[in-house]
Amino acid sequence: LFAFNDEKKLQPAAKPWESRPAYFVSPDGSDSAEGGADEPFQTLSKAVRTARAGDVVVLRDGVYTESKPCVFANGGEEGAPIVIRAENRHGATLIFTEVLKNREKIVIPKSSGGHIEIRGLTITQESRSDDYTTDIFIDCRADHCTFAENKIQKCYEEPIKCAYASDILIEDNELSDSIHEGIDFVAVTDSIVKGNTVTDAGRIGIMVKGGSRNIQVYNNVIRSFTRKLGDYALGLGGSTDPDSAWNPEGTAVNYGHEAYNLYFWNNVVYAQGAGSVTAGAAFAGAKDSWLFNNTIVNCETGIRMYNAPGLANNEGRVNQWGWNPTNVNPVCRNNIIADCKNAVAYTHEPENPVFANNLYYHITEGLPVGEDAAVIGSDPRFQTAADGNFRIGSGSAAKGAAQAVQSPVSRYGGGTMPLDLTDADGVNRGGSWSIGAYQ
């Protein structure tokens, strides 16, 4: 048996949440009910105002009309998070109404205390504004949060945005049809983005900026079918406004780097139409960051590097802002760049760049000169690229041509952190690494 926090009812143990206090939500429930299995709430907004540390909120299958922002009043604790989950993966569909099209949808404020998990939901909205708006679907400003196995679509700004938070896990989500980013980190530390699919983002697929540190981004797929991805698919750095950027302790205000010690690997970027992704990956004011064993196909440019543009300079802000760093010590190793107009483009020269063991195929311009162990012009022999399968086939020039990356790796602030160095299918790379996301 397990008990509700209000201790009014007991429910029989029968599901994965059997050992935890639980609330239930159902489209035919009522927000004036007690939230039990037989008396469920009707909306997620009611449930997140009610849940406390250790609670599980179970959304039964069906369509939910949400007309209020879902703002967490409380957070969980270490070992006792608040868990919001669909009873069956993607079986519960949240539709946010017209009144919220210019508002954040699910909000986890810093004051909640964090320790919150959202899993398995389908989230969309009735309509989307045509103008610049704030309609972030999951807006997290608290630590120790997990967002996994959700399907989020039809937002203007971002499906998932995290800022000034630590220990965030974003895993196995399907994110589609956003005008701005797919996933956006601003001043986030020690967090992981893995196994997500971002489809038809309008600006950037996954962006990590604002002074973010020690972020791992791997095993993700960024693809463009119906909308041009106008900036880049993978962003190591970016452009952050002066009110949001993090600065290293002891430095002048608004001076620093957009990112420190980022590691992006095993990601696949591809476009259905030639050039519908402007750049596969971009370094923008990043320091000590790595892009390795990624597969980038059919973009205008494979990898671009430029100084992070201060928004004060771009938008004529009155208060001048000095955040405009170059890339320092960027490493690009073991990547496949195929069917792109440009292989590598420097808008601004980085400091101490390392390019090694990359494979370039069907490239028109920007091929490297003197790169260590580059493979130029050889066919990677993708298995079925037309179907988005970029695993390498027999006789591929990528086989065994990479240089192994060692784990653990250095982290900002001292010490090291381990990386999962299997390939995008979870296959052990062994002693002979192949170039690209797949072994």
Side-chain angles (χ1 to χ4, degrees):
L1 299 177
F2 59 84
F4 288 97
N5 272 344
D6 60 11
E7 298 183 352
K8 292 180 180 178
K9 293 202 174 196
L10 295 175
Q11 300 293 336
K15 291 286 187 176
W17 46 86
E18 60 185 9
S19 62
R20 299 275 299 275
Y23 289 102
F24 292 84
V25 190
S26 173
D28 57 6
S30 169
D31 283 354
S32 61
E34 295 182 349
D38 298 326
E39 299 177 82
F41 298 137
Q42 187 179 41
T43 67
L44 179 61
S45 59
K46 169 66 175 180
V48 301
R49 294 194 305 271
T50 306
R52 290 174 285 181
D55 287 343
V56 175
V57 174
V58 181
L59 280 78
R60 291 177 172 154
D61 289 357
V63 177
Y64 296 81
T65 300
E66 298 284 340
S67 59
K68 297 178 181 178
C70 300
V71 181
F72 282 81
N74 308 294
E77 299 172 356
E78 185 175 356
I82 293 174
V83 178
I84 310 294
R85 62 176 300 152
E87 187 169 23
N88 297 294
R89 182 174 176 175
H90 301 158
T93 298
L94 305 180
I95 300 179
F96 288 92
T97 62
E98 173 83 11
V99 71
L100 294 177
K101 73 176 183 178
N102 294 322
R103 297 282 303 277
E104 296 94 341
K105 308 300 188 285
I106 299 173
V107 181
I108 305 175
K110 181 70 75 174
S111 60
S112 71
H115 293 279
I116 290 168
E117 177 180 327
I118 299 175
R119 183 178 294 273
L121 304 181
T122 296
I123 308 173
T124 187
Q125 63 181 339
E126 285 182 339
S127 66
R128 176 172 58 201
S129 176
D130 292 332
D131 301 318
Y132 180 84
T133 183
T134 300
D135 72 340
I136 302 163
F137 277 31
I138 297 178
D139 187 1
C140 177
R141 308 298 169 118
D143 302 337
H144 315 298
C145 291
T146 295
F147 311 113
E149 301 176 352
N150 301 290
K151 182 184 292 185
I152 309 177
Q153 54 199 12
K154 196 180 175 182
C155 65
Y156 187 97
E157 195 161 353
E158 291 103 14
I160 302 176
K161 181 169 187 172
C162 302
Y164 275 87
S166 183
D167 187 27
I168 302 296
L169 173 61
I170 301 179
E171 180 179 21
D172 294 337
N173 299 280
E174 299 174 33
L175 313 173
S176 63
D177 190 18
S178 57
I179 304 299
H180 280 188
E181 284 69 55
I183 298 170
D184 186 0
F185 274 7
V186 179
V188 173
T189 61
D190 298 288
S191 296
I192 293 174
V193 178
K194 68 175 182 175
N196 303 282
T197 299
V198 179
T199 304
D200 288 331
R203 198 162 66 175
I204 299 165
I206 299 174
M207 178 167 63
V208 181
K209 66 173 185 175
S212 292
R213 288 91 70 202
N214 309 322
I215 308 297
Q216 302 179 36
V217 178
Y218 62 101
N219 294 2
N220 302 284
V221 175
I222 315 297
R223 57 192 186 181
S224 178
F225 292 157
T226 63
R227 175 180 289 119
K228 182 180 175 67
L229 202 159
D231 288 350
Y232 37 84
L234 301 171
L236 294 82
S239 182
T240 311
D241 68 70
D243 295 327
S244 301
W246 174 86
N247 295 279
E249 185 177 356
T251 64
V253 175
N254 294 326
Y255 285 84
H257 281 82
E258 282 280 346
Y260 303 81
N261 296 79
L262 308 186
Y263 297 89
F264 283 50
W265 76 101
N266 286 359
N267 301 291
V268 175
V269 176
Y270 69 98
Q272 187 177 57
S276 63
V277 175
T278 300
F283 288 75
K287 186 174 187 293
D288 300 325
S289 295
W290 285 55
L291 181 78
F292 67 96
N293 283 97
N294 301 279
T295 298
I296 297 171
V297 180
N298 214 19
C299 303
E300 288 184 9
T301 299
I303 301 172
R304 180 173 292 279
M305 295 199 181
Y306 62 90
N307 294 355
L311 291 184
N313 302 326
N314 282 353
E315 299 181 358
R317 292 172 182 254
V318 174
N319 54 326
Q320 288 300 302
W321 176 41
W323 190 290
N324 192 30
T326 189
N327 296 293
V328 177
N329 305 325
V331 175
C332 299
R333 185 185 297 276
N334 304 344
N335 302 290
I336 294 176
I337 302 175
D339 298 303
C340 299
K341 180 180 178 182
N342 298 289
V344 179
Y346 288 176
T347 304
H348 302 95
E349 289 284 338
E351 295 182 14
N352 305 315
V354 173
F355 280 81
N357 301 88
N358 298 295
L359 185 153
Y360 304 95
Y361 179 67
H362 273 177
I363 304 297
T364 305
E365 302 172 8
L367 284 167
V369 176
E371 175 181 323
D372 182 30
V375 179
I376 299 176
S378 296
D379 191 347
R381 295 186 181 273
F382 297 130
Q383 289 187 6
T384 51
D387 297 325
N389 180 356
F390 296 100
R391 294 167 180 84
I392 53 178
S394 176
S396 172
K399 288 282 188 181
Q403 183 180 82
V405 174
Q406 302 300 316
S407 176
V409 294
S410 62
R411 65 183 299 279
Y412 182 88
T416 61
M417 58 184 180
L419 304 182
D420 175 2
L421 293 180
T422 58
D423 81 345
D425 283 333
V427 174
N428 192 322
R429 291 186 178 272
S432 180
W433 279 42
S434 295
I435 302 173
Y438 300 99
Q439 182 63 13

